[in-house]
Amino acid sequence: MSAGLRVGVLVSGRGSNLEALCAAAASPGFPARVALVISNRRDAGALEVAGRWGVPAEVMPLSHYGHDDRARDAAMRDRLRLAGVELVVCAGYNRILTDEFLAAFPDSILNVHPSLLPAFAGGMHAVEAALDHGVKISGCTVQLLEPGITDGGPIIVQRAVRVQEDDDAESLRERIHEQEWIAVPEAVRLWCEGRIRREGRVVRITAAAGATDAPPSQADSLT
Ligand code: GRF
């Protein structure tokens, strides 16, 4: 397993973003490694992904904690700290984290959302909502999570996807997913390289160490 800063990944679903992050972490020079995966669902495909990449994974369902989000999030915080995790990535995690959990990892929790925030924030149906609204361009956002706001934290990376005339939720979701697989590792890399500088809610991306040019602008993901 590659060296690098220790990342904890929270999952609930299929785990394609976890897969993308594990693949990136296995490439030479990537500044992070997945140290622990926590799922709130036993049947999450992400657990199989973790197994395939040899990453430790644990299941912490809400039912184990008397359906008390605070108790579960406190246990999750302690487990992540024990694993030496410095950065937490929510990769398809389907619960809203408690403010206590968010405050325990300040500016250190990334979340991926399948829309161009602030459009279609909140909820689990952002792709359907974008289609119903008739947008022509959608995409994904990786942001920092902050106490007190859902899907309103500082934006680190966004990648755009053009909506096709014949798109349904499934086809659009799949193309947004493909952009997430680029955006999530990119945001993790920027964070781990210390290239994220906050000015209020605006994130500035600083140049890579040794780079003489200005930081590259976001590559256009529209085709
Ligand atoms: C992603 O589309 C993410 O934006 C949303 O949940 C989905 C997770 O997919 N929050 P996966 O489990 O990483 O495949």
Side-chain angles (χ1 to χ4, degrees):
M1 182 176 287
S2 59
L5 201 141
R6 297 171 72 82
V7 175
V9 184
L10 308 188
V11 295
S12 306
R14 157 182 158 192
S16 68
N17 282 292
L18 173 65
E19 176 98 46
L21 187 55
C22 288
S27 63
F30 195 80
R33 65 170 157 139
V34 180
L36 179 64
V37 171
I38 298 179
S39 173
N40 61 347
R41 297 182 53 141
R42 270 176 221 298
D43 60 353
L47 293 168
E48 189 264 325
V49 173
R52 234 180 324 105
W53 285 94
V55 170
E58 292 177 21
V59 183
M60 299 180 77
L62 201 52
S63 55
H64 272 195
Y65 302 90
H67 293 278
D68 178 348
D69 277 300
R70 283 199 167 145
R72 196 269 311 282
D73 281 11
M76 208 156 65
R77 173 203 62 207
D78 293 347
R79 186 62 196 91
L80 289 163
R81 283 187 173 151
L82 193 66
V85 162
E86 290 179 69
L87 173 67
V88 178
V89 178
C90 300
Y93 186 65
N94 66 2
R95 296 289 295 190
I96 294 186
L97 292 159
T98 57
D99 281 355
E100 289 85 353
F101 182 92
L102 298 177
F105 298 94
D107 283 346
S108 307
I109 306 179
L110 306 185
N111 182 52
V112 57
H113 185 77
S115 75
L116 293 176
L117 291 172
F120 311 113
M124 303 300 293
H125 303 289
V127 177
E128 287 82 352
L131 273 178
D132 289 349
H133 197 88
V135 301
K136 302 299 185 194
I137 295 173
S138 190
C140 64
T141 304
V142 183
Q143 58 170 173
L144 289 168
L145 290 188
E146 294 197 309
I149 42 172
T150 303
D151 289 335
I155 292 168
I156 299 174
V157 175
Q158 288 189 307
R159 294 186 66 87
V161 171
R162 202 179 294 284
V163 177
Q164 311 289 354
E165 287 301 323
D166 59 352
D167 262 332
D168 57 17
E170 198 182 331
S171 61
L172 180 57
R173 191 185 336 274
E174 199 51 35
R175 292 205 312 290
I176 291 175
H177 252 122
E178 288 169 10
Q179 297 305 318
E180 292 181 342
W181 303 334
I182 300 169
V184 170
E186 183 183 356
V188 169
R189 172 189 283 282
L190 291 170
W191 195 97
C192 292
E193 290 178 346
R195 294 173 58 199
I196 289 171
R197 184 163 50 83
R198 277 192 67 169
E199 290 175 12
R201 63 152 294 113
V202 175
V203 168
R204 306 268 176 222
I205 306 296
T206 60
T212 47
D213 297 340
S217 58
Q218 187 70 47
D220 190 345
S221 44
L222 287 176
T223 50

